[in-house]
Amino acid sequence: MKYVRLPYYSKDSREMSLSDLKSILSTARQNNTRIDVCGMFCYDQQYFIQVLEGERE
Ligand SMILES: Cc1cc2nc3c(=O)[nH]c(=O)nc-3n(C[C@H](O)[C@H](O)[C@H](O)COP(=O)(O)O)c2cc1C
């Protein structure tokens, strides 16, 4: 079993509202929990930073 930590950043393509962010977070929590992936999600000044952890597969 190969465990992987994947950090990345990206820039938004349009301004994100609080509701946009809540929607992304909600989807991520549902999907990631289902496949046993956890992590961290931040957004500030038009940039996302995310770290995902889980099995490589
Ligand atoms: C910065 C960013 C991070 C995201 N992280 C995740 C994530 O960790 N897990 C996830 O399921 N969706 C994440 N999403 C949402 C996906 O882009 C996508 O909207 C969602 O998985 C639904 O995909 P679908 O349209 O193919 O059903 C993220 C979106 C953004 C913009």
Side-chain angles (χ1 to χ4, degrees), residues 32-51:
N32 297 3
T33 300
R34 183 164 33 79
I35 59 171
D36 218 15
V37 165
C38 65
M40 178 204 78
F41 178 72
C42 300
Y43 176 76
D44 190 33
Q45 306 274 349
Q46 297 186 294
Y47 282 88
F48 297 100
I49 296 176
Q50 192 172 26
V51 181

Side-chain angles (χ1 to χ4, degrees), residues 8 10 16 24 27-29 31-32 37 41 48 50 52:
Y8 74 88
S10 59
M16 294 282 119
I24 292 170
T27 303
R29 280 182 170 148
N31 292 340
N32 297 3
V37 165
F41 178 72
F48 297 100
Q50 192 172 26
L52 296 172

Side-chain angles (χ1 to χ4, degrees), residues 18-29:
L18 185 57
S19 146
D20 290 327
L21 295 170
K22 283 182 171 173
S23 171
I24 292 170
L25 193 56
S26 168
T27 303
R29 280 182 170 148

